[in-house]
Amino acid sequence: MTPRTAADAAPARLGSGFSGEVHVPGDPGYDEARTVFNSMIDRRPAVVAQCASEADVVRALRFARDEELEVAVRGGGHSVAGMALSEGGLVVDLRRMRTVDVDREARSARVGGGATMGDLDRATQPDALATTGGRVSTTGVGGFTLGGGSGWLERAFGLACDNLLAADVVTADGGSVRASADENPELFWALHGGGGNFGVVTSLTLRLHDLPAMSMALLLFRPENGPEAVRTYRDVMESAPDAAGGACIYITGPPEEWVPEAMVGRLVCAVLVTYAGTEAELREVAAPLLALEREAGVIDGIPYADLQCMLDDPPGMRNYWSAEYLGGFPDEAAAAFCAAAATMPVPSGSQHVLFPMGGAVARGPADYPLPWRSSPWAVHPFGVWENETDDEQGRQWVRRVRGDLVPWASGAVYLNFIGREGQERVVAGFGEDAYERLSRVKARYDPDNVFHLNHNVKPAVAAV
C-alpha cells in the first residue's frame, strides 16, 4: 500500500477507539505535528499518530505493520538527526503522554514516555527531589534516559539510566511488557543505554534523590584568557566532590544585563560550575576559579528546574553535533580544545563544550552498554545556527573539533550527543561485547528491526 493510501486510511482505521489525534498531509495540524527542533530536518510522514495511551500506541504500531509503514517514535523530538520522523511512514508521537507522578515516600517518579525534562523537574521540585536530567528543559525524558542520560547532576546521582527502576514497553508485535530487575531482566539491562531499539517505552519509573539546595557560578572570560580558565577548571574538578559539576563552554556573548556590552555577540569563554548544595559550599570548591580575573559573572543559589532552562536551545535553528570522550585532558588537550573555538560560528547559538565526568558516573554499573562512562572528560561541539548558508562552516567546525581532540580520545562515545556517523560509531557507543548482547535482545523483541530509526542495533541472526 502506498503512503498516500495509508494516509487516507489512517483517520478511519485509527480514529475508532483511538483516544489521541491522527494527522495526515493536508490536515491543519499536520505541519506542527511533523516539526522537530532541528530545522535541518524536513520530513513528511504519511501519518502522525499522537497517542494518548498505551492502547493508542498498540493500535498505531499494528496499523503501521499492516500497512508496511516505516515506524518512527517521537518523545521529546530532540534527536539531532531527526530520528523522531520518518519520510512517508508513521510516527508514534508520545507528546500527549507526559504525566509525571511523584511518590515522595518511595523517592520515585513514574514518567510518561512523552514527558520532557521540564515536566519532570517541575513535578519533583516541590518535594526537594530530583534525578539526573539533561542540560536543557526541552529534552525528552524517554530517549534521554534510554540512551544513558548525561546531565548536570550525574557526578552526584549517576547517569539517568542508573536511576531507571522500571519501564513499560510496547514491542514490535503490539505486545506490552514490563521491564525491571525482576521482570524481563535482559530487556531491562538493554534499556540502560541501548536506546529505542527494543520497543516504544510508554512510561519509566525513575529513582529520585534529595536535593534541598542547588547553586551555580557562571563566569565569563575573554577568549585570550580562556586557556587559563579551562586549565584551572580542570584542576578544580579533578579533586572536587561529587556534588560539583558544570562545564567550560565557548559561546557567543549573550545580550544579558550582567554581560558587558563589548562581549555581546562575540566569542567568550564561559565557565559554569554547578553544585548540588549551597552557594557557600560552591564558593569554597570553586575558589581557584573565582580568584581569576574575569569580565563578568553570576554566582547564586538557583532552583534546579531553573538551572535546567538556562541553556535551552531555541527552536527553529539548524543543528549539527558530535562528541569525543577523552582518556585524559593534559595541557596539550586543553590548548587544542581552546584553539578549536576560533572557527566556531559566531555569532550563533553554537556551544563548544568540555564536560567533566567521574564521580557517580565512573562508579556506576560496569556491565551496562555505556563504555564512555569511564572517560574522565568529554568534548561536545554543539553547532547551532540560523541560516542555511552557514551549514558548511558549522559542519566543518564540528568535524574539526573531533579531529583535533582525537589524540586524547578513548574511542567510546555517548550516542545521544551525535547524529548519524556510521555503524562503527554506533558500536563504539555500546562497546563490541555489549553490542553483541544487545543484538541478541533485539532479535527477541524486534526480530524484523521495526525500530531502526535510532542508533541502530541489528538483530542477531540465529546460527544455522
Side-chain angles (χ1 to χ4, degrees), residues 225-241:
N225 297 327
E228 181 184 18
V230 169
R231 291 192 303 270
T232 304
Y233 178 77
R234 174 200 62 192
D235 295 343
V236 165
M237 290 306 302
E238 286 183 347
S239 61

Side-chain angles (χ1 to χ4, degrees), residues 28-69:
Y30 173 75
D31 282 334
E32 186 281 329
R34 72 180 183 91
T35 299
V36 291
F37 85 105
N38 185 1
S39 64
M40 282 186 173
I41 309 303
D42 184 19
R43 298 192 183 125
R44 299 185 63 83
V47 183
V48 179
Q50 295 188 326
C51 303
S53 66
E54 184 179 271
D56 284 353
V57 173
V58 171
R59 185 182 291 267
L61 283 176
R62 289 177 177 169
F63 175 83
R65 297 298 298 272
D66 289 346
E67 304 298 338
E68 299 181 352
L69 294 176

